[in-house]
Amino acid sequence: MADLSMKTAATAGTTVNPSMAISAVRTSASSSGSSSHVLSPAGTSTSHKPKLPPPIRPPPSRPGGVDVTPRRSSSRSIKRKKFDDELVESSLIKSNRGRLPVPPTEGIGQTETQQPEKKKPSSKSSSSSSAKRAKKQKLPPAIKDLGRWKPQDDLALITAVQQTNDLKAVHTGVKFSCRFTLNEIEERWYALLYDPAISKIGQQAMKNLHPDVKQSVLNKALFSKEEETLIGTVSSTSQPNQDTFQELLNKHPTVFHPSRTDKSLFSHWLLMKQYHLLPDQSVQPMPRGDHVLNFSDTEDMIDDSQLQDPRDEVIEHELSVADRRQKREIRHLENEIPKWQVLVDSVTGISPPDFDSQTLAVLRGRLVRYLMRSREITLGRATKDNNIDVDLSLEGPAWKISRRQGVIKLRNNGDFFIANEGKRPIYIDGKPVSKGEKAKLNNNSVVEITGLRFIFLINQDLIGIIRTEAAKMGVQ
């Protein structure tokens, strides 16, 4: 039949759409051995027996020899943000994806009857989703808050209520794993009493607790009034021990909680005594009227003589030793002031006058300047154990200089002499002075000690006065 329709279309001079030919073949194949009435593209109806479908011919090519093939394109949408109306359209497209388009022709009657069969899976999925929604019902508040209530909290709540029979006392005295209000504690207690599901879950969770955890919770159980009454029989003036409370436990085993020990009873008795809760203790009322003391009255009653601490000889001795040590350090620093003054003068370049009313002579080097203000001074290298008047290490390298290199003395007649006491010689104006020898120092004499050169300057005015006085003393 397809061949006949193709021929008829060719004789009529019209082009044949391959898809219409394929649909005609499918329609003819669906008939079970009976003739079918099919409209050809030319508008003629024919009746014939079913035949095998011929192979589909490729579409005609253009005159230039270029094949015109349908261009393949993806049906997937570009991934980008969609607006609300696009989201609705995309959901509708996804629901219709996978279904074949149904052309509006009379020969495709059977495909329309197959469409309701394809909707069955969607009906099943909708029924399953509705069943799931029915299962996800809102839980009552007692079950919803089950995560906050731990098995330890349930056990502590039950034990405390059995001991005190007061939910307010439980809310005040029991420390739960998290902070619960009085209303939440009441709801939990009523849920454990009257809700079989919550009660069963709570009992199973408490059974699964470790024995050590259970014992720690029971040890913190509140004391009942009967227990505190028996503990109060021990007077506050006595000095009980743990054996006393052990006897109390042995006499009244049914009154005390099974987790009570002599140590826990003793600790609770001490707390009751501390807060004056024992029966034989009474809190004295505050005085009324003019008998109330204020801070000024108390201050007047204090005797200042009694506040003075007695004299401690050990502390006084330590203070005196520290005082002497500090004074020694101060004297040491005062002695080092001239040395540092020399360094400051060498750095700043500002040098004071060579002589003053107390300076007899000056030993001036390249960097430092030593003032001689006594009749005898020592030269050398200063150390911790050796104190000298003139430290030559301030001028330059002094590792070859002896710790006591020499002595400069002023005689009564106004002459200066230098004595060598070190290992190496001292050169005075180029002449060596060996160990144990002496040499006279004149004004502007050059003193050289192991490569360090100094100029010896004499205060002629002061030395002249000394010589005049010495001459007067010699005449007399």
Side-chain angles (χ1 to χ4, degrees), residues 71 75 159 372 381:
R71 187 175 182 181
S75 61
T159 307
M372 183 177 177
R381 177 168 47 88

Side-chain angles (χ1 to χ4, degrees), residues 110-373:
Q110 296 180 359
T111 57
E112 294 178 357
T113 58
Q114 293 177 1
Q115 289 179 359
E117 295 179 358
K118 293 183 180 179
K119 293 182 181 179
K120 290 181 180 179
S122 63
S123 63
K124 290 182 181 179
S125 62
S126 62
S127 62
S128 62
S129 62
S130 61
K132 290 180 181 179
R133 291 174 184 173
K135 290 181 181 179
K136 293 182 180 179
Q137 297 177 354
K138 290 186 178 180
L139 298 175
I143 299 177
K144 184 178 180 181
D145 294 339
L146 187 61
R148 292 186 62 200
W149 284 91
K150 294 182 170 51
Q152 299 91 322
D153 299 333
D154 291 338
L155 182 59
L157 175 60
I158 294 171
T159 307
V161 172
Q162 290 176 351
Q163 288 290 107
T164 60
N165 297 327
D166 188 3
L167 290 176
K168 293 183 179 179
V170 173
H171 175 255
T172 306
V174 179
K175 185 177 181 180
F176 296 100
S177 61
C178 59
R179 191 176 185 86
F180 295 108
T181 61
L182 180 59
N183 191 18
E184 291 175 345
I185 292 175
E186 290 177 354
E187 289 181 358
R188 183 61 180 178
W189 174 248
Y190 294 143
L192 290 174
L193 282 179
Y194 303 113
D195 195 330
I198 296 178
S199 179
K200 184 177 180 180
I201 294 172
Q203 290 179 2
Q204 186 65 30
M206 286 186 286
K207 287 180 182 179
N208 294 333
L209 284 175
H210 195 272
D212 296 339
V213 178
K214 289 183 181 179
Q215 190 62 34
S216 64
V217 174
L218 295 176
N219 290 338
K220 298 176 182 177
L222 298 178
F223 281 81
S224 62
K225 294 181 179 180
E226 294 80 6
E227 291 177 339
E228 290 186 346
T229 303
L230 291 176
I231 293 174
T233 56
V234 181
S235 63
S236 61
T237 57
S238 62
Q239 295 181 355
N241 52 18
Q242 295 184 4
D243 296 336
T244 306
F245 295 98
Q246 184 63 41
E247 294 177 0
L248 199 63
L249 281 173
N250 296 334
K251 289 181 182 179
H252 307 278
T254 58
V255 177
F256 290 101
H257 193 270
S259 63
R260 304 298 184 205
T261 60
D262 52 353
K263 185 177 180 181
S264 62
L265 295 181
F266 185 46
S267 301
H268 193 70
W269 180 83
L270 292 176
L271 286 175
M272 293 177 67
K273 181 181 179 181
Q274 180 181 357
Y275 293 104
H276 297 274
L277 298 177
L278 295 175
D280 58 343
Q281 288 179 320
S282 60
V283 181
Q284 297 180 359
M286 293 292 295
R288 297 178 181 179
D290 299 335
H291 299 285
V292 179
L293 298 177
N294 51 25
F295 288 104
S296 60
D297 297 336
T298 306
E299 189 175 2
D300 294 338
M301 295 172 61
I302 295 174
D303 188 4
D304 295 338
S305 61
Q306 297 178 358
L307 298 178
Q308 295 179 358
D309 296 333
R311 185 186 181 94
D312 193 346
E313 296 181 358
V314 177
I315 295 177
E316 293 293 335
H317 176 69
E318 291 180 356
L319 291 174
S320 62
V321 171
D323 186 37
R324 289 197 300 269
R325 187 184 303 111
Q326 291 176 358
K327 289 181 179 179
R328 192 184 308 114
E329 292 179 357
I330 291 172
R331 286 195 298 268
H332 179 68
L333 292 174
E334 288 178 350
N335 295 331
E336 289 186 351
I337 289 176
K339 301 177 183 178
W340 292 106
Q341 186 64 39
V342 170
L343 293 176
V344 171
D345 295 341
S346 63
V347 172
T348 58
I350 302 174
S351 59
D354 291 334
F355 305 109
D356 54 14
S357 60
Q358 298 178 356
T359 303
L360 300 174
V362 174
L363 189 65
R364 187 170 63 183
R366 184 173 58 89
L367 298 176
V368 296
R369 191 169 59 95
Y370 303 99
L371 305 180
M372 183 177 177
R373 293 182 176 180

Side-chain angles (χ1 to χ4, degrees), residues 46-64:
T46 58
S47 298
H48 62 87
K49 295 181 179 181
K51 295 182 181 180
L52 294 175
I56 300 173
R57 296 179 183 178
S61 60
R62 292 184 179 181

